[in-house]
Amino acid sequence: MAAEYTSKHGSVRKTKAELYMAFVDMRNFVQMLPEDKKEGVKADYDSIEATVQGFTIGVRVARREPYSLIEFKDNNAPFAFSVIFHFDDGISPAYTDFWIEVSAELNMMMKMMLGGKIKEGLDKIVDAMVCQATN
């Protein structure tokens, strides 16, 4: 049974189209990485792959619904997972309600070790988008 995690919602000061376009191309994710983390990362429009501590982890875009959601799925990863970025109407047309859902096939030990960290990581991504858009 898959473990399900949902981030908090964040009000990002960008239109749905602007925020969606930042994530639609997987090459943009490489640009968001610090320089010291870019080595070993390969990306094209639809997929990204990285080698971390000897493990190769890949992610591909499984579905794009313009200005509404982008679904990512594992691609050559040690466990099955999917991630959905949601772009919903915000408090005005200039704002987007942004949130993330994750579903991961984790064994009991992995759930215990990573469960809280996954939720915390998702919330940090949302917070970073909110902060980045206000600067």
Side-chain angles (χ1 to χ4, degrees):
M1 187 165 146
E4 307 287 331
Y5 304 95
T6 302
S7 74
K8 62 184 176 180
H9 288 238
S11 185
V12 180
R13 191 171 51 182
K14 288 187 183 278
T15 66
K16 287 175 24 175
E18 288 173 310
L19 195 54
Y20 173 90
M21 294 306 290
F23 293 110
V24 75
D25 185 339
M26 297 299 281
R27 294 171 291 199
N28 291 342
F29 285 89
V30 179
Q31 300 308 314
M32 294 179 203
L33 293 172
E35 283 302 318
D36 64 325
K37 304 291 185 203
K38 290 183 181 181
E39 186 176 332
V41 178
K42 297 179 223 156
D44 59 30
Y45 184 74
D46 291 316
S47 64
I48 190 167
E49 185 177 274
T51 302
V52 180
Q53 297 179 348
F55 291 99
T56 300
I57 299 170
V59 177
R60 65 179 167 74
V61 175
R63 178 171 53 140
R64 292 180 178 97
E65 292 182 18
Y67 318 126
S68 179
L69 69 82
I70 302 171
E71 181 178 10
F72 306 95
K73 290 208 178 237
D74 64 283
N75 188 27
N76 189 28
F79 59 91
F81 64 88
S82 69
V83 178
I84 301 176
F85 283 13
H86 293 270
F87 312 94
D88 294 331
D89 291 331
I91 56 175
S92 78
Y95 284 81
T96 301
D97 179 31
F98 175 66
W99 57 286
I100 305 168
E101 286 181 300
V102 171
S103 177
E105 294 293 333
L106 302 174
N107 63 37
M108 190 58 72
M109 181 178 277
M110 294 292 278
K111 284 181 190 177
M112 289 172 46
M113 288 175 34
L114 298 176
K117 293 182 189 305
I118 292 172
K119 169 74 168 116
E120 184 179 307
L122 296 176
D123 288 346
K124 284 184 179 181
I125 293 168
V126 171
D127 286 342
M129 293 310 303
V130 170
C131 288
Q132 182 181 23
T134 57
N135 292 333

